[in-house]
Amino acid sequence: MINFEEELKKFHPSLEVEDAADAIYNQDMTDMADILVKMLKETEAEE
Amino acid sequence: MNCYNCGCRLSEHDFCTSCGADVSKYKAIMRISNLYYNEGLEKAQIRDLSGAVTSLRQSLKFNKNNIEARNLLGLVYFEMGEVVAALSEWVISKNLRPQKNIADDYIEMVQSNATRLDTINQTIKKYNQALAYCMQDSKDLARIQLKKVLSLNPKFVRAHQLLALLYIDSEQWDKAKRELDKCCKIDVNNTQTLRYLKEVEKMLMPDENGKTTAKNRNEDAYRYQSDNEIIIQPLNVHEPKGNAISTIFNVIIGLVLGIAVMYFLIVPSAVAEERTKSQIKEREMGESIDEKNGIIANLQTENKNLEADNRKLREDLEAYVGSDGTLKTVDELFAAAVEYITNKDALATAAHLENVESGVNLEETSEAFRLLYETLVEKVGAEAGASYYTSGSDAYESGDYDKAIEDLNKAVRYDPENGDIYYTLGHAYRRAEQKTEAIAAYTKVLELQPDTERARKAQNYIDELSAN
């Protein structure tokens, strides 16, 4: 049985156009490739 | 694919031919990213948009520089009505690869039309407002707002889902199903949509025993949708059973109640209404009669005035018109002219002219009339004046002062500069004991014959008459 209150919590306000720039700047852009490169460079430094 | 260390293009080897760095793991990560991108693309092609979003986000977690994956993610977001999220992905894509990037076209498409951008923003604001209404438990307002949102952006999946949730909450299962069906047409495999849909279908379908589900059981009707029609089929409704006698009895009771209602409610109100109407009509007729009486009184007064005017005019006309219908004054003038031309009788002509003068105001006559009159007066004036002076003097001598006064006044009219006539006229007035007229005649003598013996005598008479 669907609980309205619980389901409502899953909905979040949508980003407005004015807020798009902040959303882009605040986005975490770190990917697996960045992490790998960082790890490899750290390993090289230790050697 | 370029080396992460030196940026040179990588070959099929697991190391960089330029800097010698080990790129085997790096290449594996790139492959995983591409794998997720392909998966996302396949899902997008069958409109599993939420699945595509998941795969493409995974792809970007492995390789943020996967431009195709990012552009496709933006496109999928746009299709789901998440315009700002789509724009964000395209802007990042554009920053990562400024040249030869299809994201350029996408951004241009959205931003080139200011009205469209404004509509998008309004849609988002209304959706957020609807969500706020939901939080405040103003569900009706939220529903209205969401309908506006969907009229502006019919592909906004989250708005459809929220509206469906509101319908589910108010147990409007058919409407909820309609919204969820729309969601499914946009995004076929959205888990949230499917979960709601399952719940709704469970409520709409009858259970195994042919009875309605828990929700519908409380209602007396079974509702389902057929095309665009909502069919409401009453349940547990039985035709009342009874015998013929009770039916007839019920009909009789109904008739009696109907007659009673008519007698006590309808008839009095109808009678009162008719009475009011007749009173209004009576009042209107009374007002109409008063008005007409007023008009009649006015007309009677006007008639009296007109009759008086008519009488006066007739009298005036009779004064002017002779027995044969012609104007008396014209007759008199013609008679004067005939008398003068035929007999040259100055006195007879003068007598006719005197009648003309007494019968009409010469100023009001025609020019020809006046000219003829004046010509005749000029012709006979001197002779007539002399004749009247002679006859007036004779009458005075014989003691007939009234005749003397009459003839001398006529003589004065034709010869007004003759002081002798005034002197004799003064005597006649004095003898007839008309002092005022006598003084006036003597005064005229003083004016016409000053410094003469006659003037001195006239002065003596004036003094004498004034003293008495």
Side-chain angles (χ1 to χ4, degrees):
Chain A
M1 183 63 194
I2 288 170
N3 183 324
F4 179 76
E5 305 300 334
E6 290 302 316
E7 290 298 325
L8 198 58
K9 287 177 187 170
K10 294 176 187 172
F11 289 86
H12 300 289
S14 196
L15 273 180
E16 294 181 15
V17 175
E18 294 88 358
D19 304 329
D22 291 339
I24 293 166
Y25 288 129
N26 295 332
Q27 196 164 345
D28 182 11
M29 294 293 288
T30 309
D31 61 358
M32 288 297 285
D34 289 338
I35 294 166
L36 177 71
V37 169
K38 191 180 173 187
M39 283 170 67
L40 287 172
K41 284 187 176 174
E42 281 175 0
T43 310
E44 279 176 11
E46 282 175 9
E47 286 173 355
Chain B
M1 190 185 305
N2 295 330
C3 173
Y4 66 86
N5 194 31
C6 66
C8 285
R9 192 168 185 80
L10 295 174
S11 63
E12 69 276 11
H13 301 294
D14 286 343
F15 58 88
C16 176
T17 52
S18 176
C19 67
D22 182 3
V23 293
S24 59
K25 293 182 180 65
Y26 182 74
K27 278 188 170 180
I29 288 173
M30 295 297 117
R31 274 196 296 276
I32 294 168
S33 173
N34 285 338
L35 194 70
Y36 275 120
Y37 165 69
N38 290 335
E39 191 181 277
L41 184 59
E42 283 176 10
K43 287 178 178 175
Q45 283 169 343
I46 59 165
R47 292 200 76 85
D48 177 8
L49 300 185
S50 50
V53 166
T54 309
S55 298
L56 293 169
R57 287 174 74 92
Q58 281 297 101
S59 172
L60 292 172
K61 272 183 185 172
F62 280 90
N63 179 15
K64 66 184 175 192
N65 294 314
N66 192 337
I67 299 300
E68 283 72 26
R70 197 171 285 280
N71 287 344
L72 181 59
L73 180 61
L75 204 59
V76 171
Y77 275 142
F78 190 78
E79 184 64 12
M80 292 171 77
E82 306 282 355
V83 183
V84 175
L87 275 172
S88 300
E89 295 303 331
W90 291 331
V91 168
I92 293 167
S93 167
K94 167 85 175 139
N95 276 279
L96 293 172
R97 190 198 285 172
Q99 302 296 325
K100 294 183 181 178
N101 193 339
I102 198 169
D104 256 349
D105 296 345
Y106 296 148
I107 295 167
E108 175 69 16
M109 174 194 72
V110 175
Q111 291 185 336
S112 62
N113 189 339
T115 312
R116 183 172 181 174
L117 196 62
D118 185 55
T119 307
I120 289 167
N121 209 17
Q122 288 298 320
T123 310
I124 295 164
K125 283 180 194 293
K126 285 180 193 298
Y127 170 76
N128 291 341
Q129 183 63 51
L131 196 58
Y133 283 142
C134 287
M135 300 293 184
Q136 296 161 7
D137 210 26
S138 304
K139 292 170 186 169
D140 290 336
L141 289 175
R143 264 198 292 274
I144 292 165
Q145 202 73 341
L146 283 170
K147 282 178 184 172
K148 287 182 190 170
V149 169
L150 290 169
S151 70
L152 293 169
N153 184 3
K155 289 184 177 176
F156 201 171
V157 174
R158 274 199 293 163
H160 279 298
Q161 288 174 333
L162 186 55
L163 186 56
L165 184 63
L166 285 166
Y167 283 138
I168 289 169
D169 184 55
S170 60
E171 299 184 1
Q172 292 176 285
W173 308 107
D174 41 6
K175 287 186 178 176
K177 187 172 185 311
R178 211 179 302 160
E179 290 304 320
L180 293 169
D181 285 342
K182 286 177 189 170
C183 280
C184 284
K185 282 182 184 169
I186 301 162
D187 181 8
V188 295
N189 210 16
N190 188 308
T191 49
Q192 196 171 348
T193 306
L194 293 175
R195 196 156 52 82
Y196 290 167
L197 198 58
K198 189 178 174 189
E199 180 77 14
V200 169
E201 284 175 345
K202 193 174 90 180
M203 290 301 172
L204 285 173
M205 292 296 288
D207 65 10
E208 291 173 353
N209 299 326
K211 295 177 181 173
T212 51
T213 56
K215 285 285 174 190
N216 282 338
R217 201 174 291 135
N218 293 332
E219 298 176 1
D220 289 333
Y222 164 57
R223 296 192 293 177
Y224 61 94
Q225 189 173 0
S226 171
D227 295 330
N228 287 330
E229 300 291 325
I230 297 166
I231 311 296
I232 302 171
Q233 182 178 343
L235 296 172
N236 301 324
V237 177
H238 304 289
E239 289 295 326
K241 292 177 181 176
N243 54 30
I245 295 170
S246 67
T247 305
I248 292 166
F249 184 70
N250 287 337
V251 169
I252 291 167
I253 289 174
L255 283 171
V256 170
L257 285 173
I259 291 164
V261 166
M262 185 179 283
Y263 185 77
F264 288 110
L265 297 176
I266 298 171
V267 172
S269 70
V271 168
E273 191 179 348
E274 283 301 318
R275 192 174 295 147
T276 309
K277 278 183 187 174
S278 66
Q279 283 173 350
I280 291 167
K281 202 169 179 180
E282 193 177 335
R283 192 166 59 245
E284 286 174 353
M285 286 177 72
E287 287 170 359
S288 175
I289 289 166
D290 290 345
E291 188 182 347
K292 282 177 182 171
N293 284 339
I295 292 168
I296 289 167
N298 286 338
L299 287 172
Q300 283 175 340
T301 310
E302 197 175 340
N303 189 37
K304 278 181 186 171
N305 292 337
L306 287 171
E307 279 178 356
D309 289 347
N310 190 28
R311 197 162 45 247
K312 187 174 180 301
L313 287 169
R314 195 173 290 142
E315 285 169 5
D316 290 347
L317 189 63
E318 281 171 2
Y320 287 121
V321 179
S323 56
D324 57 351
T326 55
L327 289 172
K328 276 182 179 175
T329 50
V330 176
D331 274 355
E332 290 293 341
L333 186 62
F334 285 160
V338 169
E339 191 65 45
Y340 179 74
I341 292 164
T342 311
N343 304 324
K344 297 283 182 186
D345 186 345
L347 276 179
T349 304
H352 288 302
L353 291 175
E354 283 158 17
N355 288 336
V356 171
E357 192 181 0
S358 64
V360 71
N361 183 359
L362 287 167
E363 296 298 321
E364 293 174 357
T365 58
S366 68
E367 191 178 347
F369 185 95
R370 201 162 52 249
L371 189 64
L372 179 59
Y373 173 81
E374 286 169 357
T375 305
L376 290 170
V377 167
E378 192 182 327
K379 294 284 183 192
V380 301
E383 192 180 342
S387 292
Y388 281 127
Y389 180 43
T390 305
S391 62
S393 296
D394 292 346
Y396 175 72
E397 291 297 333
S398 62
D400 187 356
Y401 302 122
D402 292 338
K403 176 79 168 74
I405 288 168
E406 185 185 345
D407 285 355
L408 289 170
N409 270 319
K410 288 178 183 176
V412 161
R413 195 181 303 154
Y414 292 108
D415 191 6
E417 302 300 321
N418 192 336
D420 294 340
I421 300 173
Y422 281 107
Y423 188 74
T424 310
L425 182 60
H427 288 328
Y429 277 129
R430 184 166 55 84
R431 296 282 185 189
E433 295 182 348
Q434 295 180 27
K435 289 182 183 175
T436 309
E437 288 80 3
I439 290 169
Y442 288 131
T443 305
K444 201 73 185 172
V445 174
L446 292 177
E447 287 175 12
L448 295 171
Q449 297 176 342
D451 302 327
T452 58
E453 179 60 23
R454 186 157 281 178
R456 192 186 59 75
K457 286 179 180 174
Q459 186 61 55
N460 287 338
Y461 285 125
I462 290 169
D463 294 341
E464 186 184 328
L465 288 166
S466 299
N468 293 330

